[in-house]
Amino acid sequence: MNGDETNMNSSYPSRRQFLKRASVAGAALTLPNFIPSGLLGANAPSQRIGIGLIACGGRGMYESSCYPGSDKCQVVAVCDPWESKRLRAKQVFERHYAARRRSGAYKGCDAYADFRNVLAREDVDAVYIATPDHWHVPITIAAARAGKDMHTEKPLGVSIREDLAAREAVRRHGRIFQYGAERRSTTTARHAIELVLNGRIGRVQKIYVVSPASVKGPVDDPVLPVPADLDYDLWLGPAPWAPFSAARAISGGNGNGIFHIYDYAIGFIAGWAAHPLDQVQWWADNAGMGVPVTYEGTGRLPDDGLFNCLIQWDVQCRYKNGLVMRFMDNRTAQQQDIPGIRDSNAATFVGTDGWICVNYGEVQMNPPSLQNSIIGPDEIHLVRSNRAGGEYVEPHHMSWLDCIRTRQDPVGNIESAVRSDIISHLSDICVRTGRKIRWDPVKETIVGDDTAARMMTRARRAPWTF
Amino acid sequence: MPSCRTKFLPVIAASFLAALACQTGAAEPIRVLILTGQNNHNWKETTPKLKEILTASGRFTVDVTEHPEQCDAATFARYDALLSNWNSWGKAGVTNWPAATREAYLDFIRGGKGLVVIHAGGSSFYDWPEYQQAAGASWNLGQTGHGKPHEFTVKVVAEHPVTRGLEPFKTTDELWMRPGVQPAAKVVATGEDQPLAMATEFGKGRTFTLLLGHSAAFMATPGFQTLLLRGAEWAATGNVTLSATVAATAKLADPDTVLKELAAYRFGDNRQPILNLEQLAAAVSTDPAAKKQLAAKLVGLLASGATVEAKQTACWQLSIVGSAAEVPALAKLVADKELGYPARLVLERIPGDESLAALRAALATTTGEARAGVINSLGARRDAKAVAEIAKSLTDADAMTAGAAMEALGRIGGAAAASALMAADGKVPAALETRRSVALLRCAEGLQAAGRAKDAAPILEKLCRANQPAFIRIEAFPAWVATLGDKGEELVLTALASGDRTKQTAAIRALRHTRSPALVMGATERMKTLPADLQVQVIVLLTERGDTAALPVIADAVESKEPVVREAALAAFGVVGNDAIVSFLAKRAENATDDEKKIIVASLARLRGGGVEAAMIAELKQPVPAVQQELIRALVARNAKSALPALVEAGRGENAGVRKEAIAALGKLGDKTTCGPLLAMLESSPAAEAALVAICRREGTLEPVLAAFEPAATEKKVALLGVLGGVGGPQALETVRGAMKSGDAPQRLAAVRALAEWSDAAPLDELAALAAATDDPKCKAFALRGVAKLAPLAKDRPPADVVALIARAMAAGGGVGERRALLGALGNFHGPQALKAAEACLNDPELAAEAKLAVQQIKAGGQAGRAHAGPAFTDEVVKLFDSPDNLAHGGKATNLDGLAPDGQGQPAFAAIDGNPATYWDETDNQGLYWIRVQLKARATVACIRILGFQHHNYAPKDFEVICDGKVVKKIGGAEYKENLLTVTLPPTECEAVELKITGYYGKSPAIRELGIYGKPVAAQ
């Protein structure tokens, strides 16, 4: 099915190879996520999955708020280099758990600055990693090597080699990895991709992927003393040292430097684009398409200011069979006439018989009657990760917990995460070098361009490595 | 280094053109003829450049003539567009064209084809008016002038296909002042307010005039090329498909200048020197000579007195352009505290043995963090030659170094690395043992993959021992088992039966990887001895294998005492089962728990194979309601249309639950033919109404329902009216209106009820009228509730009218429930009338709660405002803008800064629309924001008020207030009070007020409301 599964170097057959054989034998093409609903019900505290929350910022606290209501798990440790953030998180979880006890008191969630202390705990079975991007892969790999399962926020890594290393670690250690692209845990998006896979819009002729771009940073960014509250060196971690400043390290929503400074991220070309790219990859993985092999296009970096990630791009990504995926920022997209693209963050599949546009929380399609089209039992079905109800974040985390118990691959598996993130990286490299980039999906490397190939890696500040 | 400069430009241009080209698709190429051969500019250079630009885009094919005077209609007929790079200025050889050429030239354009005029290409034949008209613009002697070529910003000034989507861009060229623009020409772009691009319709044809392009060098700029290509495409075809993206103009200064500027860079300074270097490095990377030169200069900077930041920046770029030649210089820096890391980055990225040798040598000269970093880099490069040296660090007293050595050896792998790691037994502190195990595991698996299972086996055996962490044992066990052949199978079975959870988990992991069916069968026989959750894991993996041999084991597991095992088994059937399992699964539903029922339905829905649905339909005949209901749900999930007859039958059955389920299913699966039976069930089963509505909506037809309506008796008509109300649409409306006039009271009431439930606002007025007119309390109640439901749906009507309609309905004398519903509807609107109507109910004890909520909602700005309610603006402040004194009302707001709305922000009109929930906001971080309000009539202005986005967050801070072009007030560091700023102005009579904003809180100055007043008003 897929052409790029060569990275498993074990002598025994991998799980994926199994799947391949199984499908050849005519059995299940795609596996259902058949978690018994009661499997994890009424668990004694000792049976619960011990969770460590790594990074207690906005995203971390938002998504982890689904844990206390579940008896599948127990948050036993939180971690953040900001003392105030970790103490607040500890308080939040302890209050939640205290409220459910007869005594009304609970002390059992420990707070750490350093994630390594969380990974060292035996009662932590799994971690939710919601750090800035440059920490996603280092902690994912460290968690894999410590025998923990992980739910890692998107985008994946800050270089292609990081992505590949994360996959190697997750597979080598047999960990259950869930990618934080929660649109896969929605009924509408799943149905939309199933419609495309089952030929409801005919043959796919073109794909459009649109996302917000990074922004310009402040030109004037005074260096500030590091707050006593923060272990700044740990915050920087593998990234190059740079002086503390507000725009660099203090959260301010989507304008925060952690999203737009190349030392910590490659920008919204990965950070936001991860969502629609992930939807396309869901299709591509099941349609045997792999990732595009050539990338051509233009774009812009800010011409001043602290931030240095793409503020505009328009890249033609071509799959091996010639199919073109046009990947661009939403400003560029607004000048085009793309079916279904009204705003920012969507993927549109244009087929011979119609089109489908998958956005966050809504799907548009033509003909509109496709909405009522039921996918029959003999057609391709995608993993259904929100069987227990709900949409987005909560079922995404809950199905991950279920998979931890059954040792199944979650809906956002590592292979798919790596592939979709690679599209962001190759497009970024294409614009930064101003050249056509060729990707060898078997060797998983850029070919024919030494400079571009070097941009697949970046050394990490010691002692951090992968 | 001027030689470099000329080299860089083509690199940028070529890639830019390639990018444009790839967007053109398979459209027919446009045929262009360039007219040239004389011109008071260097046509010998510019003509080939124009040809190159057009050709490289892939959209055009180009011919050139140096003698336009020799062309005639036959020559021109072969082309879609002419491009004039020709003029008769100065001492021109040709000063006139023969009549045939003149006629053919004009006919060509008039007949529907295109002309493109570049720079002075139209500056000929001043006594030939049609030529001038066709040219769009030309040099007008005595009027037109120009300064020296310089950089300026090109802005789009008119909506036109050529400029659609074009962002303002900077370019360098000779800029004409006051060109002679023809009256029919539409100026589409300007630079420094001077027209520089025009579009002209001439007969059926089109001219695009571009006054840029003084020389070939200026034609190399991306902006010129974008305008040329899009303009030429439009002139030839009337359409534009080429991209409007202008590649950033690389400021490719000379490397020495760039590096000189960089040398003094410190954190916090303007980053321009870094950007310049990044652009330079990207541009030279395809030019070996220039790349080498730049690398050498960067190494020079490393040895100079430049700042540390400058040197770090130089290293980042060296990691891209550097080669073996720069290795020695970088090797010296690896131990440096500040430059060690960037130097290592370069060495890690430069391919080849030299960089590896330098890193290995650095092992001897570095300590602590620097040494750990070097070890990491050698690990990342997987340098087998470094194994012996790195191995010495395994027992380093410094845990960081020792740990790095372990990870690097694990990464490099191979027998030597493995032996070194094994040999460290007993010499490693306990805290590092797990890291050593992980590294060993990596080595062992690498060896195994390389076919050296024998070398791997002892390592893996060690990692499976009880003194290892559980997760290492679990991970190592499958690999170890795989090295042992048949003996390994024994080991797995023993582990399964061991009662040790770690061993059992490891054994199941091994099962996932095994190729041996016998082992799997052996394991499943022992399944019952496992803890329940591990049994589930075994069932899951059996299912993944898709082996039908697993069926008996799964069937057995369905009988387990453990609910989780039973559920897993029931779910597994959905994947490995077939039609033979249908009966078994269905029967299980009879005594199943609710959770199990859900799983059974899901499994029945998933079963593959031709006979499955037939088996389910057959099973449906068994009169066991609990089973029938689940079967029906599964048939719906399968979209099993073949089950329709069976479902009709079930819909007539005896059990009410089954009937309801079956009728609901008919609604989901049925088509036009299903309507008949459903219509027959309408009186006996309320579910049939919903089912009919669903079918009619899906199929887009009302025909069966309408056909049944006329002949039906009253009772049935009442039910049919319910269906019509649910389906909606003009056809249904007509019938329902007919029923309103019926002499039959129940029918009339049903009709009102249907209208009250309508899916759009079409019957709003008649419901309102009915509510006022009727004396029948039931009828009134329905009508009023209908008004409450439909009023918020009337999006296409002026909100004030709808509010008035609601207010009238509230006075129509309905009950408390109806008035409460109407208050709820009011909350969807905003403005004083809505507020007044809601506030009137605040003192009514029965309505106070709803009225209070409605008042809150109205103040928050209706529905749109709810998302923004909160500290952003207060109720009292909002009222200030709703005052009749506000001169901005009825005015026209525009922006003069050329910026686009940003995020949730809207264009300038949102600043004076009276709705504080909406706001004007544009692209972040710009230097100038400029909004203009044209007043409805000339007036004296003495005060303005600004309601910003959110107090000192996204609000204007430093700005000028301009009345009819005159600055009347300058504000610096504006201080808002609860999000409101009041500025008193010297009273000035004017027609327009502008704010020129140069400073702001947040990232841009968003304005919710801008109020303009004739008298000073007290600051709040």
Side-chain angles (χ1 to χ4, degrees):
Chain A
M1 278 160 72
N2 294 305
D4 49 351
E5 292 181 353
T6 53
N7 209 10
M8 302 301 300
N9 21 5
S10 335
S11 61
Y12 45 80
S14 72
R15 225 178 75 75
R16 293 187 61 74
Q17 285 162 326
F18 257 135
L19 297 195
K20 267 168 89 176
R21 277 212 305 277
S23 66
V24 170
L29 258 171
T30 48
L31 284 163
N33 213 345
F34 48 100
I35 312 298
S37 54
L39 172 58
L40 299 145
N43 281 324
S46 62
Q47 285 286 301
R48 291 180 188 164
I49 295 165
I51 302 264
L53 168 63
I54 298 184
C56 311
R59 198 70 196 165
M61 291 308 287
Y62 169 63
E63 295 211 4
S64 65
S65 65
C66 68
Y67 295 143
S70 166
D71 59 6
K72 296 171 183 177
C73 65
Q74 177 97 10
V75 179
V76 296
V78 297
C79 160
D80 201 296
W82 288 91
E83 190 181 8
S84 50
K85 290 188 188 183
R86 66 176 177 264
L87 291 182
R88 200 184 114 63
K90 170 184 161 73
Q91 192 186 35
V92 164
F93 287 112
E94 287 187 339
R95 272 193 191 157
H96 270 297
Y97 290 124
R100 299 204 313 202
R101 296 184 138 217
R102 216 173 294 160
S103 65
Y106 180 80
K107 297 271 177 260
C109 179
D110 296 320
Y112 304 94
D114 190 329
F115 68 93
R116 288 170 293 193
N117 293 327
V118 177
L119 298 181
R121 281 175 65 137
E122 286 207 6
D123 61 345
V124 169
D125 301 302
V127 288
Y128 169 41
I129 303 165
T131 59
D133 301 356
H134 69 295
W135 268 119
H136 287 172
V137 167
I139 299 179
T140 296
I141 293 177
R145 289 190 185 146
K148 315 295 185 197
D149 298 320
M150 68 293 287
H151 185 130
T152 302
E153 264 311 325
K154 52 103 203 149
L156 193 53
V158 293
S159 74
I160 290 176
R161 283 273 178 266
E162 266 199 356
D163 289 355
L164 301 179
R167 184 181 63 195
E168 191 205 352
V170 166
R171 284 304 177 209
R172 181 181 295 277
H173 297 291
R175 299 335 303 171
I176 302 303
F177 171 100
Q178 174 82 301
Y179 192 40
E182 68 276 7
R183 283 189 206 183
R184 289 199 182 194
S185 293
T186 66
T187 311
T188 49
R190 183 180 60 245
H191 184 238
I193 303 297
E194 285 176 343
L195 289 174
V196 180
L197 278 170
N198 289 300
R200 299 291 202 281
I201 56 165
R203 197 166 43 80
V204 176
Q205 287 185 307
K206 184 133 186 181
I207 300 171
Y208 296 90
V209 173
V210 175
S211 117
S214 275
V215 297
K216 279 189 181 184
V219 176
D220 188 20
D221 181 44
V223 171
L224 301 176
V226 176
D229 188 22
L230 170 68
D231 183 341
Y232 184 54
D233 196 62
L234 189 58
W235 185 93
L236 285 170
W241 188 86
F244 180 85
S245 73
R248 185 181 295 278
I250 298 178
S251 180
N254 282 349
N256 192 334
I258 57 165
F259 297 121
H260 310 297
I261 297 176
Y262 198 55
D263 285 345
Y264 321 123
I266 68 165
F268 280 177
I269 193 170
W272 259 115
H275 277 307
L277 284 174
D278 175 71
Q279 298 289 292
V280 171
Q281 200 59 46
W282 209 7
W283 166 81
D285 286 342
N286 288 280
M289 295 293 284
V291 295
V293 292
T294 65
Y295 298 77
E296 281 179 274
T298 54
R300 268 171 61 199
L301 287 163
D303 43 25
D304 56 17
L306 179 66
F307 301 170
N308 51 357
C309 293
L310 293 182
I311 53 171
Q312 186 187 39
W313 68 91
D314 184 355
V315 179
Q316 309 253 351
C317 315
R318 202 175 291 268
Y319 288 94
K320 214 149 115 193
N321 69 354
L323 176 71
V324 170
M325 171 169 76
R326 191 163 165 201
F327 179 24
M328 63 201 132
D329 70 283
N330 56 9
R331 281 278 169 82
T332 304
Q334 273 164 14
Q335 297 152 17
Q336 316 290 328
D337 192 18
I338 305 172
I341 299 286
R342 279 201 303 238
D343 57 352
S344 53
N345 197 227
T348 295
F349 295 85
V350 180
T352 46
D353 303 338
W355 55 260
I356 289 181
C357 174
V358 195
N359 207 323
Y360 207 111
E362 71 164 328
V363 174
Q364 290 173 269
M365 47 190 85
N366 191 32
S369 59
L370 287 178
Q371 244 163 306
N372 302 318
S373 180
I374 294 178
I375 308 296
D378 290 317
E379 297 190 278
I380 302 171
H381 286 256
L382 296 171
V383 171
R384 190 172 159 188
S385 51
N386 60 344
R387 172 149 292 159
E391 297 280 307
Y392 297 113
V393 167
E394 193 192 353
H396 209 55
H397 281 268
M398 292 303 132
S399 65
W400 169 58
L401 295 176
D402 291 340
C403 289
I404 288 175
R405 279 294 172 83
T406 60
R407 309 313 291 175
Q408 278 179 287
D409 244 358
V411 66
N413 64 60
I414 183 79
E415 271 85 6
S416 208
V418 168
R419 289 194 193 108
S420 67
D421 198 44
I422 279 177
I423 298 174
S424 289
H425 282 283
L426 292 172
S427 301
D428 181 62
I429 293 172
C430 163
V431 175
R432 283 177 187 270
T433 56
R435 291 195 291 274
K436 180 172 177 176
I437 300 296
R438 289 183 179 76
W439 175 249
D440 181 334
V442 178
K443 292 185 184 140
E444 297 194 301
T445 186
I446 292 173
V447 286
D449 189 327
D450 167 54
T451 305
R454 288 186 193 190
M455 293 169 82
M456 290 170 58
T457 70
R458 39 172 117 180
R460 286 174 168 170
R461 207 157 61 98
W464 307 105
T465 181
F466 58 85
Chain B
M1 206 173 65
S3 65
C4 273
R5 196 188 180 92
T6 51
K7 263 180 187 164
F8 299 152
L9 286 169
V11 173
I12 299 288
S15 61
F16 164 70
L17 287 173
L20 266 183
C22 63
Q23 294 166 3
T24 56
E28 278 288 303
I30 296 167
R31 300 159 300 170
V32 177
L33 177 67
I34 300 183
L35 314 180
T36 190
Q38 68 177 40
N39 190 325
N40 63 329
H41 291 72
N42 189 347
W43 62 270
K44 285 186 180 166
E45 273 190 16
T46 55
T47 299
K49 187 72 202 173
L50 289 165
K51 181 173 178 178
E52 175 200 315
I53 295 165
L54 291 170
T55 316
S57 76
R59 186 80 178 94
F60 303 91
T61 58
V62 180
D63 289 330
V64 176
T65 174
E66 293 182 9
H67 296 284
E69 73 280 6
Q70 293 171 9
C71 297
D72 56 18
T75 329
F76 292 153
R78 293 196 291 272
Y79 300 96
D80 304 307
L82 306 178
L83 186 157
S84 175
N85 191 27
W86 182 95
N87 70 28
S88 58
W89 262 79
K91 295 171 189 163
V94 177
T95 54
N96 206 349
W97 284 357
T101 307
R102 291 168 71 116
E103 201 176 317
Y105 180 82
L106 293 180
D107 285 350
F108 176 83
I109 310 164
R110 278 192 187 124
K113 292 189 171 181
L115 170 67
V116 182
V117 172
I118 296 301
H119 200 57
S123 304
S124 312
F125 308 132
Y126 287 93
D127 53 356
W128 177 12
E130 289 94 339
Y131 182 89
Q132 289 290 313
Q133 284 160 18
S138 59
W139 184 271
N140 189 340
L141 198 61
Q143 172 188 320
T144 310
H146 64 74
K148 279 188 180 171
H150 64 286
E151 189 182 67
F152 52 89
T153 301
V154 176
K155 281 185 186 166
V156 173
V157 293
E159 164 67 18
H160 193 270
V162 173
T163 48
R164 190 166 297 148
L166 197 68
E167 301 266 350
F169 63 87
K170 285 182 180 173
T171 196
T172 300
D173 210 313
E174 179 187 276
L175 180 64
W176 286 11
M177 322 289 284
R178 304 171 299 279
V181 180
Q182 291 293 318
K186 179 176 184 180
V187 177
V188 297
T190 61
E192 298 178 358
D193 295 332
Q194 298 298 322
L196 56 73
M198 298 91 210
T200 311
E201 310 268 351
F202 188 78
K204 287 185 202 159
R206 295 152 300 274
T207 301
F208 178 68
T209 315
L210 183 55
L211 297 181
L212 300 178
H214 175 73
S215 69
F218 298 143
M219 288 178 177
T221 60
F224 174 87
Q225 297 184 8
T226 300
L227 279 174
L228 169 69
L229 293 170
R230 288 173 62 91
E233 193 184 19
W234 174 76
T237 66
N239 284 318
V240 178
T241 64
L242 293 166
S243 166
T245 304
V246 177
T249 314
K251 281 184 202 156
L252 291 166
D254 141 69
D256 288 325
T257 317
V258 170
L259 293 185
K260 201 176 148 201
E261 280 170 20
L262 178 67
Y265 172 79
R266 293 235 178 249
F267 280 123
D269 290 353
N270 188 316
R271 295 180 74 259
Q272 194 60 49
I274 297 181
L275 296 168
N276 291 344
L277 178 60
E278 280 172 1
Q279 283 168 356
L280 200 57
V284 298
S285 68
T286 48
D287 180 338
K291 193 162 134 182
K292 213 172 155 189
Q293 215 170 6
L294 180 63
K297 284 178 191 292
L298 288 168
V299 166
L301 182 131
L302 292 179
S304 74
T307 62
V308 171
E309 288 94 326
K311 289 179 179 175
Q312 285 173 347
T313 307
C315 281
W316 277 95
Q317 295 313 314
L318 264 176
S319 81
I320 293 172
V321 298
S323 66
E326 285 75 52
V327 166
L330 290 156
K332 285 183 208 154
L333 297 176
V334 173
D336 186 284
K337 191 170 177 298
E338 279 157 327
L339 295 175
Y341 163 65
R344 187 161 62 73
L345 170 83
V346 187
L347 292 174
E348 202 176 306
R349 272 185 167 177
I350 291 178
D353 289 339
E354 293 84 353
S355 53
L356 283 176
L359 284 167
R360 283 197 297 271
L363 282 175
T365 61
T366 47
T367 55
E369 208 169 274
R371 185 175 161 83
V374 171
I375 293 172
N376 288 345
S377 284
L378 284 164
R381 292 279 300 268
R382 302 202 161 157
D383 179 28
K385 286 185 193 163
V387 167
E389 199 55 39
I390 294 175
K392 289 180 192 161
S393 296
L394 281 174
T395 50
D396 200 298
D398 174 29
M400 185 205 289
T401 309
M406 286 168 189
E407 272 166 29
L409 290 180
R411 199 171 163 130
I412 296 167
S419 325
L421 285 161
M422 288 289 270
D425 249 352
K427 298 171 197 162
V428 171
L432 287 174
E433 272 299 356
T434 303
R435 285 171 86 176
R436 189 166 72 104
S437 296
V438 169
L440 275 167
L441 188 63
R442 266 181 120 166
C443 286
E445 290 183 350
L447 288 168
Q448 207 173 13
R452 300 175 64 176
K454 265 191 185 161
D455 294 331
I459 304 173
L460 293 167
E461 191 267 326
K462 170 190 157 67
L463 294 175
C464 290
R465 284 183 206 154
N467 61 350
Q468 292 287 333
F471 79 92
I472 294 280
R473 290 165 65 195
I474 292 168
E475 286 170 22
F477 185 74
W480 182 40
V481 165
T483 64
L484 298 177
D486 292 349
K487 206 182 136 218
E489 295 193 8
E490 274 302 314
L491 223 54
V492 174
L493 296 176
T494 315
L496 274 177
S498 68
D500 173 341
R501 202 181 151 86
T502 302
K503 282 188 181 169
Q504 287 171 329
T505 308
I508 294 172
R509 183 78 71 85
L511 287 178
R512 282 193 177 275
H513 297 302
T514 186
R515 287 200 175 100
S516 158
L519 175 57
V520 175
M521 288 324 292
T524 51
E525 282 160 17
R526 290 164 176 75
M527 194 172 87
K528 281 186 188 162
T529 63
L530 295 171
D533 63 330
L534 294 185
Q535 285 190 48
V536 171
Q537 283 192 23
V538 174
I539 293 172
V540 164
L541 85 89
L542 285 173
T543 319
E544 284 177 2
R545 290 176 76 95
D547 194 342
T548 42
L551 277 171
V553 183
I554 295 172
D556 203 20
V558 170
E559 309 298 339
S560 167
K561 279 184 203 141
E562 297 284 349
V564 291
V565 177
R566 286 202 305 272
E567 291 178 9
L570 288 171
F573 272 135
V575 182
V576 292
N578 51 32
D579 55 341
I581 209 76
V582 168
S583 177
F584 172 83
L585 262 179
K587 287 197 170 73
R588 295 287 312 184
E590 193 178 354
N591 299 311
T593 64
D594 283 353
D595 285 338
E596 284 174 348
K597 277 182 185 164
K598 277 188 201 160
I599 296 169
I600 289 169
V601 169
S603 284
L604 284 172
R606 285 202 67 89
L607 283 174
R608 288 164 170 266
V612 173
E613 275 165 24
M616 287 170 70
I617 291 163
E619 202 63 31
L620 195 57
K621 296 206 167 70
Q622 303 292 324
V624 186
V627 174
Q628 287 172 307
Q629 286 182 8
E630 305 310 323
L631 278 167
I632 293 169
R633 288 187 185 126
L635 285 165
V636 170
R638 294 180 72 92
N639 198 25
K641 297 213 190 289
S642 63
L644 283 173
L647 288 169
V648 168
E649 203 176 312
R652 294 175 182 139
E654 282 175 13
N655 181 283
V658 175
R659 274 206 311 273
K660 198 177 158 196
E661 196 69 45
I663 292 173
L666 288 171
K668 288 174 185 150
L669 299 180
D671 50 33
K672 237 166 130 180
T673 62
T674 325
C675 290
L678 279 171
L679 283 164
M681 298 173 196
L682 203 52
E683 292 135 291
S684 58
S685 174
E689 184 182 316
L692 277 166
V693 169
I695 293 174
C696 290
R697 287 194 151 191
R698 192 169 59 244
E699 301 283 313
T701 175
L702 261 175
E703 202 187 303
V705 181
L706 293 174
F709 190 79
E710 277 314 314
T714 297
E715 206 175 316
K716 183 148 193 175
K717 274 190 172 151
V718 167
L720 286 169
L721 282 166
V723 176
L724 292 172
V727 180
Q731 220 184 345
L733 192 55
E734 202 181 308
T735 308
V736 179
R737 278 176 177 153
M740 296 260 293
K741 291 176 195 134
S742 153
D744 183 27
Q747 206 186 122
R748 274 204 313 276
L749 195 60
V752 178
R753 197 172 177 171
L755 290 184
E757 294 292 318
W758 216 250
S759 55
D760 58 47
L764 180 59
D765 286 318
E766 55 208 279
L767 283 168
L770 185 67
T774 184
D775 294 327
D776 176 359
K778 250 187 176 173
C779 180
K780 193 185 279 281
F782 280 135
L784 287 172
R785 283 179 189 269
V787 171
K789 177 178 183 262
L790 303 188
L793 303 180
K795 300 278 182 221
D796 51 349
R797 295 175 56 167
D801 293 0
V802 185
V803 168
L805 190 142
I806 298 174
R808 283 198 301 276
M810 289 187 64
V816 170
E818 285 72 51
R819 289 162 71 201
R820 282 181 179 160
L822 288 164
L823 277 169
L826 264 184
N828 290 285
F829 297 86
H830 66 97
Q833 290 88 355
L835 197 62
K836 205 174 131 198
E839 280 173 344
C841 302
L842 280 171
N843 294 327
D844 182 336
E846 283 180 309
L847 300 176
E850 283 75 16
K852 203 173 156 197
L853 181 65
V855 166
Q856 277 171 6
Q857 288 171 344
I858 294 163
K859 283 181 177 173
Q863 226 159 23
R866 278 180 204 164
H868 295 289
F873 47 90
T874 62
D875 303 343
E876 289 71 23
V877 167
V878 169
K879 260 187 216 160
L880 299 176
F881 293 93
D882 222 351
S883 136
D885 301 339
N886 184 352
L887 301 169
H889 280 328
K892 191 169 174 249
T894 46
N895 67 331
L896 303 177
D897 49 25
L899 300 172
D902 196 29
Q904 303 290 312
Q906 296 191 13
F909 70 76
I912 59 162
D913 64 353
N915 181 3
T918 61
Y919 55 90
W920 169 65
D921 185 25
E922 302 182 325
T923 316
D924 286 350
N925 299 318
Q926 303 298 308
L928 173 67
Y929 297 83
W930 197 346
I931 184 169
R932 178 175 196 274
V933 179
Q934 173 83 41
L935 304 178
K936 206 160 69 177
R938 195 170 176 82
T940 302
V941 172
C943 174
I944 61 164
R945 277 175 161 152
I946 296 172
L947 188 63
F949 178 73
Q950 202 177 55
H951 199 57
H952 288 176
N953 187 22
Y954 289 89
K957 187 178 177 189
D958 311 317
F959 57 91
E960 291 174 350
V961 184
I962 301 170
C963 292
D964 284 354
K966 201 177 124 219
V967 177
V968 296
K969 186 103 173 188
K970 282 188 187 181
I971 302 290
E975 285 283 337
Y976 287 68
K977 278 187 184 169
E978 295 191 28
N979 198 27
L980 179 73
L981 181 72
T982 305
V983 178
T984 311
L985 309 173
T988 311
E989 200 181 302
C990 62
E991 286 173 358
V993 177
E994 293 166 23
L995 299 187
K996 228 172 149 175
I997 306 161
T998 48
Y1000 37 90
Y1001 296 102
K1003 294 204 171 80
S1004 62
I1007 297 182
R1008 290 183 178 277
E1009 283 305 309
L1010 170 62
I1012 302 172
Y1013 308 87
K1015 280 182 241 160
V1017 283
Q1020 198 210 357

